[in-house]
Amino acid sequence: MIAQPLTITGGKLVLGSGEPVAGALRCEGGRIVAIGDVVPQVGDEVFDAGGKLVTPGLVDLGVFAIDKPAFHFGGITRAALMPDQGPPLDHPARVRFAAQSGKPDMWVHPLAAATRGLEGNELAELALMRDAGAKAVATGRGWIADSGVMLRLLRYCAMLGLVVVTHAEDAGITGSAVATAGDVATRLGLPSAPAEAEALAVARDIALAELSGAHVHFRQVTTARALDLVRAAKARGVKVTAGVTPAHFILSDLELVGFRTFCRMSPPLRQDADRKAVIAAIGDGTIDVISSGHDPRGPEDKRLPFADAEPGMAGAETLLPLTLTLVRDGVIDMARAFELLAANPAKLLGVEAGRLEMGAEADLAIVDPARPWIVNSDKMAAAAGNTPFDRRPVEGRVTALFKGGARID
């Protein structure tokens, strides 16, 4: 079904650079056809943005569940689904089914499992899964420990033109750790691993990316040492990119005091120096993507002893307002915020979205960046409200959302 032509007037357009500019935008046939000084045509649906921001719909790279109510609340029009499903996305039929699962009001982009069963041993049918709709390949929640397997994966993906999304923690070091080694973990008596486990994994995968010519995207880089490695690799021209979730630039391991299982993450929360290093890396361009890591888990997974609780958080609804804290703090500007939230993840997935430009798909959000609200885990739209940001006052709310130029209610 083709949406009625749409003209959005009276808004401030968040373009690829600079401050938001007053203007209008017209969509037809599901794509943006005019930007700037636009006059509605006969038969257009006209939407008055009322002075609010007109932005690209968010592209959330690496969610663990399709949770439409939460995505729509958060302004997410596209979500890249991690292969850690039951069963894993390691077969073309499963990838094809996942790619259809968001219709008609959501784009779901499956990430193909790098190895059969996500076991890290035998490569999955990557070419067939690409043809079935996979937009990238992912190692899932774990790291591929066998360097030979990882090198074969990267060489194959370089040939197929697919980005490899990897989890950067050396499992031989982390083992069953649930926290970062340091004063907090020691005081609480929690199984912990040194933060260097991340840097070791990043160092190896950078070396293999350089050797293979493949593009590696580190889904979360959360430590100063690992960020330094990514920064240096980029300077050498290695095809690496890095992401992070708001938890790791807002929270530190001090949040674990009281055994707060909603703060049980993977990778775990780091010390404050690493948190500050993440903010600096967002500011200087080392980090390319901010994603939600959306992983809704109910009380049966979270209301347990800390070491037994499952990691993860329901992040889709808070992704935008928490990222906007960086704008208010002067770390980044508004254009850069939506580059991190939309343009860069869309580019990694190879989809024509994430930017307000001619010819792009008309996935749009109307955003009131100053609208205050309070995160309430009991009232979240997510399948489960396992957020470490419960009761936190935030600013920034999506007031209208469009997919392919059609309003999402």
Side-chain angles (χ1 to χ4, degrees):
M1 179 179 175
I2 301 298
Q4 178 183 356
L6 168 72
T7 299
I8 298 176
T9 62
K12 295 179 180 178
L13 306 178
V14 178
L15 304 174
S17 61
E19 291 298 311
V21 296
L25 177 150
R26 187 170 185 272
C27 313
E28 188 173 353
R31 292 186 178 266
I32 299 171
V33 296
I35 299 173
D37 188 13
V38 177
V39 177
Q41 297 187 15
V42 176
D44 283 7
E45 176 188 355
V46 179
F47 182 91
D48 183 359
K52 299 180 178 64
L53 299 180
V54 181
T55 78
L58 274 55
V59 182
D60 199 355
L61 181 56
V63 304
F64 290 90
I66 300 305
D67 198 352
K68 285 189 190 181
F71 293 156
H72 290 163
F73 182 97
I76 296 164
T77 50
R78 295 172 183 264
L81 180 64
M82 292 292 284
D84 311 71
Q85 305 299 312
L89 301 183
D90 62 354
H91 187 278
R94 295 171 193 157
V95 167
R96 190 174 294 109
F97 180 80
Q100 302 294 322
S101 64
K103 293 185 175 181
D105 53 358
M106 181 82 204
W107 296 101
V108 175
H109 300 305
L111 304 181
T115 56
R116 293 187 186 277
L118 289 172
E119 294 174 353
N121 300 317
E122 182 183 357
L123 295 189
E125 294 285 357
L126 303 177
L128 293 177
M129 289 192 286
R130 179 196 62 178
D131 295 343
K135 293 298 185 183
V137 173
T139 66
R141 296 181 192 275
W143 185 65
I144 295 177
D146 187 319
S147 297
V149 171
M150 188 64 175
L151 180 57
R152 287 194 295 276
L153 171 69
L154 292 176
R155 283 176 168 162
Y156 194 22
C157 288
M159 183 179 70
L160 294 174
L162 290 170
V163 174
V164 175
V165 180
T166 183
H167 178 91
E169 279 186 299
D170 188 324
I173 293 176
T174 58
S176 59
V178 298
T180 303
D183 292 344
V184 173
T186 300
R187 291 204 312 270
L188 297 178
L190 295 173
S192 63
E196 285 75 12
E198 180 175 275
L200 286 166
V202 167
R204 192 217 54 183
D205 287 349
I206 286 173
L208 296 182
E210 205 160 7
L211 184 61
S212 64
H215 184 154
V216 170
H217 176 70
F218 297 103
R219 191 173 65 87
Q220 291 200 63
V221 185
T222 61
T223 63
R225 187 165 294 185
L227 287 164
D228 284 343
L229 292 168
V230 171
R231 194 176 284 114
K234 285 186 168 189
R236 296 198 306 276
V238 185
K239 288 192 281 188
V240 295
T241 47
V244 76
T245 70
H248 285 95
F249 64 75
I250 291 179
L251 308 176
S252 73
D253 61 356
L254 290 172
E255 299 290 332
L256 306 187
V257 173
F259 300 99
R260 296 182 63 216
T261 56
F262 281 9
C263 296
R264 165 95 161 88
M265 305 289 172
S266 177
L269 294 177
R270 307 300 190 181
Q271 295 182 11
D272 201 53
D274 287 318
R275 183 189 69 82
K276 292 175 179 175
V278 169
I279 294 173
I282 293 170
D284 69 18
T286 301
I287 286 177
D288 305 271
V289 173
I290 298 177
S291 58
S292 73
H294 189 68
D295 195 3
R297 294 185 179 274
E300 68 279 5
D301 290 327
K302 282 293 188 180
R303 298 197 184 282
L304 297 167
F306 194 94
D308 296 330
E310 294 291 341
M313 67 176 186
E317 291 161 79
T318 53
L319 174 60
L320 175 62
L322 294 176
T323 300
L324 291 181
T325 63
L326 299 171
V327 177
R328 286 190 290 275
D329 291 345
V331 178
I332 54 176
D333 63 15
M334 193 65 75
R336 168 75 172 144
F338 283 90
E339 185 179 64
L340 291 156
L341 292 169
N344 286 347
K347 184 178 180 181
L348 288 171
L349 295 169
V351 295
E352 294 179 341
R355 290 185 182 277
L356 300 186
E357 58 186 29
M358 300 277 285
E361 298 207 40
D363 300 340
L364 309 166
I366 308 301
V367 176
D368 183 345
R371 181 170 171 179
W373 56 286
I374 295 175
V375 180
N376 186 333
S377 62
D378 294 331
K379 296 182 179 179
M380 291 178 76
N386 55 308
T387 173
F389 300 106
D390 194 24
R391 312 300 173 184
R392 179 182 288 261
V394 294
E395 290 182 19
R397 186 84 170 261
V398 172
T399 59
L401 193 63
F402 301 84
K403 174 185 179 286
R407 178 79 180 266
I408 299 173
D409 295 322

